[in-house]
Amino acid sequence: MNKKETSFDKAELELLKEGLKRSYKERFEMATRLYKIQQTMSKAVISHKPPISK
């Protein structure tokens, strides 16, 4: 279990370091993309039509 935790911690730190290397423009574009996805998902409606009986 401890080995899994250390590998997870290392992976998390690598992602954070990679994120810091990005420019402000790249960060803004990513945030904009995520915001648009969030807006689309909040407006989404799941509708279910019952099967047609013959």
Side-chain angles (χ1 to χ4, degrees):
M1 181 89 177
N2 192 17
K3 188 176 181 180
K4 287 183 182 180
E5 288 179 14
T6 55
S7 64
F8 180 75
D9 290 339
K10 281 185 177 182
E12 190 175 17
L13 284 175
E14 288 298 319
L15 285 174
L16 288 172
K17 288 179 183 178
E18 186 179 321
L20 290 173
K21 292 178 185 176
R22 295 185 177 147
S23 68
Y24 287 114
K25 182 179 179 184
E26 288 173 323
R27 293 180 195 180
F28 176 76
E29 289 173 349
M30 178 61 78
T32 305
R33 195 174 311 137
L34 291 174
Y35 178 73
K36 287 180 180 178
I37 292 170
Q38 188 268 334
Q39 290 294 312
T40 303
M41 295 302 284
S42 68
K43 293 177 186 175
V45 177
I46 299 173
S47 60
H48 173 65
K49 296 180 182 178
I52 300 172
S53 301
K54 290 186 179 181

